[in-house]
Amino acid sequence: MRQDDGMSDLYERMVDSRGARIAVPIVAAVLLVVGLAADPWIGIPALLVLIVFVAWLAYRSPDSTSGLARLRVLMVGILVAVAVGRFLTAVLG
């Protein structure tokens, strides 16, 4: 039996909300564009927020055995690589 806590309630409300289904991809796209196009000191935090959010969604997702779960892990890995690349470019370049 699964214990409900505040985080699972938030996840379930977000998944069930029609507005969230529209807003989440838009906010994620904006964070990605800002993370890639803005000055590194603005872009890197935007990418970190996106990484945390995508990782939280992947962790809270009920399906952890399908190919979609692997795709979520791949997405987090790509975002981490992009954030590290942006950081190294800002520091070294």
Side-chain angles (χ1 to χ4, degrees), residues 24-87:
V24 167
I26 292 171
V27 170
V30 167
L31 285 171
L32 182 62
V33 168
V34 168
L36 295 175
D39 186 49
W41 304 113
I42 296 170
I44 293 169
L47 286 172
L48 293 177
V49 168
L50 184 60
I51 289 167
V52 168
F53 183 67
V54 171
W56 177 73
L57 285 177
Y59 175 74
R60 296 303 304 163
S61 177
D63 184 21
S64 62
T65 59
S66 71
L68 190 58
R70 292 183 188 136
L71 184 62
R72 290 183 196 115
V73 172
L74 177 65
M75 180 69 152
V76 170
I78 290 170
L79 288 172
V80 168
V82 169
V84 168
R86 291 278 290 165
F87 177 76

